[in-house]
Amino acid sequence: MTLRDDLRPGAAPVPDVHSYDLPSYDLPSYDLPSYDGRVFGPPRPTPGSVVGHYHQQDELVWADFAGGPVRTGRLVGVRDRAGVIEAAYCQIMTDGEVVAGRCLSTPTVLGDGRVRLTEQWRRADGSAGVSVIQELPIQEYPHD
């Protein structure tokens, strides 16, 4: 079962992280530019919003994020040529709770060239949902 299959509506509970196949990346060209150096947050960020700093090397994508109820978090995954990211994440909340899960992030290029990610996520506790984040212009980074 792939992560894409697992995140379909009505899918079975998330299997162990080692039980799904990752896609093959045999060609270095991509339809969407690199995620490296991009900063993502909510479409309308405010001071204290969760903001993620993304990095990419070849097909590997990772991010560090924090803000609001998230004390710190990490995302690690792979992307395909269309820019879709399959990843696992773990975050420590400000109340000390540890939250982990997996997500499938599908990009849309906005009219100004920035990227919006629609994220289908499923936590280890079985909860699931959809979130939308988008690339933030530098002047929109929220500051505490």
Side-chain angles (χ1 to χ4, degrees), residues 12 70 74 101 118 122 124 133 144:
V70 178
R74 304 292 183 271
T118 301
R122 181 172 301 203
I133 60 174
D144 288 325

Side-chain angles (χ1 to χ4, degrees), residues 50-140:
V50 176
V51 174
H53 297 262
Y54 280 63
H55 310 278
Q56 181 179 336
Q57 183 178 14
D58 300 322
E59 75 278 7
L60 302 177
V61 176
W62 64 99
D64 304 303
F65 53 92
V70 178
R71 184 172 176 194
T72 188
R74 304 292 183 271
L75 174 139
V76 179
V78 292
R79 63 161 287 171
D80 65 18
R81 283 181 288 232
V84 176
I85 302 169
E86 295 185 36
Y89 63 89
C90 186
Q91 56 194 26
I92 309 298
M93 309 308 283
T94 55
D95 66 3
E97 180 184 14
V98 177
V99 176
R102 294 168 35 189
C103 65
L104 181 70
S105 301
T106 304
T108 302
V109 178
L110 302 174
D112 61 6
R114 292 179 300 133
V115 176
R116 175 178 290 147
L117 293 173
T118 301
E119 302 182 311
Q120 296 174 286
W121 51 266
R122 181 172 301 203
R123 292 181 175 172
D125 68 5
S127 61
V130 176
S131 299
V132 175
I133 60 174
Q134 68 186 37
E135 186 175 358
L136 301 176
I138 198 162
Q139 68 271 19
E140 287 188 20

